[in-house]
Amino acid sequence: MVSEHKSDISGWLVRRATWHLWVVLGAVLGALVARTARVTSDGGMDNAIVVRAARVWLAGGSPYDDSHFLYLPSAVLAAAPQVLIPRSVLSVLVPVVVTGCLVGGWVCALRLHGVALRSRFAALGLTGLAVGFAPFAHLVLLGNWTAAAVLALPLGLLLAGRGRWVAAGLVIGAAVAVKPLLAPVGLLFVFAGRWRGLAVMAAVPVVMSAAAALVLPDPAGFFTRTLPFLLRGGDSFVRLYEASPAAVLPRVGVPGVVAGGIAVAAAGAGVGCAYRRWRCGDRGPLRLAETAGMLMLSAFLASRPSYDHYLLVVVPVLLAGLPYEGAVVRGVWFWLALVPQVPGVTWPYLETGQRRAFRDAVTLGGLAMTLAAHCLRFGRVSPPPPPLPVPSSRGAAPSTPPGAAPLDGSERSLSGAGQAISARPAFEDEAPSGPKRGSGGGSPQGGAATLGAEQ
């Protein structure tokens, strides 16, 4: 457990929260849900697109007649029950469910990092996201199904951190079946060599979408309509809100081919940084969170579309590692990248909603570069020390491993003393259920193992 007597701020954060903080959090989330229910119908603009597609399918049409329906066929069946719910109920139910997914994602992120759910950090962190991070309220207002990915990623990482990679693949695969946003996480399974988990992750959306396509009038609509639409970069309406370099740079005069090349190159470099973080880093929760975060940010740099609320897939998972020494969120550049997302600030020439994509692009690029530099830092590892001589028997000269330099006379004279000294065994640094005590780069400041037990 993290010591509550530490002098830094993390010691204060991991102490048990008073009821006042939970009241504030409840009031903030309740106000957000109530406002969304008052100003939206069908649970929000984005959720209405999916519900409308389900209504078209039930009426005998193809859901892919709407070019803005960008989901797999399995999402049509998932949205069909909403058609039976009155709109007055749906306008309340959807923001409640979306907010519940955001809260659940935060809870899983805390458990991934071993943070107590009743701590001050648990309450203040979620309150800060809801109040100080604009995409949080934006996602609830839209009712976008990105909320499923916000919940699934930390839950999948939590299972993976406990060695349950097949279950993690099941969770991530189910989220991909709803919205294929977490598909890049498959590379995490490749890095870890968890092929069974990867197979499960791929099989779930394939099986669910294939089964759903059989009952659609246009079974191949996703491939014949949606994918070409995405490859063309969407339409003029979609491009106004995209944050990827391929969409933003052409708006300031950069040729589209050059912008696309920059986006692809940046994404490729990000994947390389993610692999380096996985290969050279510790085996604690920061390794999982930061590798997955780097993979997702790399995908957002190149994907079309790429919206501001996609950042909610990454930011909470990284933020939950704040009490850990060496976490990326302890760097100033992480917080500077989030400044454009502070609600209520009017930025010159970016006042209109159609220009907020420039602010989102700054945040996306800033987070990607900050995390990439952080990942590269773990690649600077020193070579292993040369092997030590191994005593063979009492009174005999110690043997040396192949490739080691022979012992000189002074070393031979000390070899007898080695019989009374037992060599300390080397321990693996893997800690799937929480950080280790005193492990650098993946341990809380102060050398504590876990950020507090449940109180």
Side-chain angles (χ1 to χ4, degrees):
M1 290 183 293
V2 161
S3 173
E4 297 183 357
H5 304 288
K6 294 190 303 180
S7 58
D8 68 342
I9 186 63
S10 62
W12 182 86
L13 285 174
V14 297
R15 297 174 188 170
R16 185 167 182 171
T18 61
W19 64 270
H20 311 83
L21 297 181
W22 299 114
V23 170
V24 171
L25 176 60
V28 169
L29 297 180
L32 184 59
V33 170
R35 177 182 178 273
T36 303
R38 290 183 57 190
V39 302
T40 63
S41 61
D42 279 342
M45 182 178 68
D46 289 357
N47 185 73
I49 293 175
V50 187
V51 175
R52 184 165 60 247
R55 289 196 180 103
V56 170
W57 169 64
L58 292 175
S62 173
Y64 294 103
D65 290 340
D66 185 355
S67 60
H68 292 156
F69 179 73
L70 308 177
Y71 299 83
L72 293 172
S74 51
V76 180
L77 299 185
Q82 295 191 48
V83 177
L84 307 177
I85 302 176
R87 292 192 175 186
S88 59
V89 177
L90 204 60
S91 62
V92 177
L93 181 62
V94 171
V96 169
V97 172
V98 171
T99 304
C101 288
L102 298 178
V103 174
W106 177 245
V107 169
C108 292
L110 292 174
R111 298 312 302 149
L112 169 67
H113 293 284
V115 181
L117 300 184
R118 297 182 181 182
S119 64
R120 292 168 175 168
F121 181 60
L124 292 175
L126 187 56
T127 304
L129 284 172
V131 174
F133 192 56
F136 191 103
H138 194 200
L139 180 61
V140 177
L141 183 65
L142 292 174
N144 194 281
W145 286 27
T146 298
V150 177
L151 172 60
L153 180 61
L155 177 56
L157 295 180
L158 176 61
L159 293 170
R162 296 179 176 179
R164 301 172 61 186
W165 285 87
V166 173
L170 181 64
V171 170
I172 301 297
V176 172
V178 173
K179 184 173 183 176
L181 190 63
L182 294 183
V185 180
L187 288 176
L188 179 64
F189 289 80
V190 175
F191 294 167
R194 303 292 181 166
W195 307 112
R196 292 179 59 189
L198 178 63
V200 171
M201 175 187 165
V204 170
V206 169
V207 171
M208 294 180 63
S209 295
L214 296 177
V215 298
L216 297 182
D218 185 10
F222 180 81
F223 299 97
T224 60
R225 301 189 188 186
T226 301
L227 282 183
F229 177 81
L230 294 175
L231 293 175
R232 292 193 306 268
D235 53 23
S236 58
F237 175 78
V238 171
R239 283 192 291 269
L240 288 175
Y241 300 96
E242 288 192 64
S244 65
V248 172
L249 292 180
R251 297 176 65 177
V252 294
V254 178
V257 176
V258 176
I262 293 174
V264 172
V271 172
C273 293
Y275 177 69
R276 193 163 187 173
R277 175 66 177 96
W278 178 263
R279 183 175 60 90
C280 301
D282 61 278
R283 300 190 181 183
L286 286 181
R287 183 195 192 197
L288 281 168
E290 292 173 358
T291 303
M294 190 72 253
L295 289 173
M296 293 307 304
L297 290 174
S298 301
F300 298 158
L301 288 172
S303 66
R304 305 289 301 272
S306 181
Y307 299 125
D308 65 327
H309 50 77
Y310 287 6
L311 297 172
L312 276 170
V313 178
V314 176
V315 171
V317 175
L318 298 177
L319 181 62
L322 178 65
Y324 281 72
E325 182 181 5
V328 65
V329 294
R330 287 202 169 192
V332 64
W333 292 106
F334 178 88
W335 298 100
L336 290 178
L338 299 183
V339 170
Q341 303 302 324
V342 176
V345 178
T346 302
W347 298 90
Y349 306 105
L350 302 178
E351 296 90 347
T352 62
Q354 291 78 9
R355 289 188 174 182
R356 74 158 291 125
F358 292 99
R359 296 159 49 189
D360 302 334
V362 170
T363 298
L364 174 59
L367 287 176
M369 289 188 292
T370 300
L371 188 53
H374 180 77
C375 292
L376 290 176
R377 182 175 64 85
F378 284 87
R380 305 188 186 103
V381 293
S382 57
L388 296 175
V390 181
S392 56
S393 62
R394 180 173 299 183
S399 61
T400 58
L407 298 177
D408 57 21
S410 61
E411 291 171 329
R412 293 178 188 273
S413 65
L414 296 176
S415 61
Q419 304 299 324
I421 303 175
S422 61
R424 193 180 74 171
F427 293 95
E428 292 292 332
D429 61 351
E430 185 168 5
S433 61
K436 281 187 58 180
R437 195 175 294 268
S439 60
S443 61
Q445 187 173 3
T450 310
L451 302 187
E454 291 298 317
Q455 302 182 30

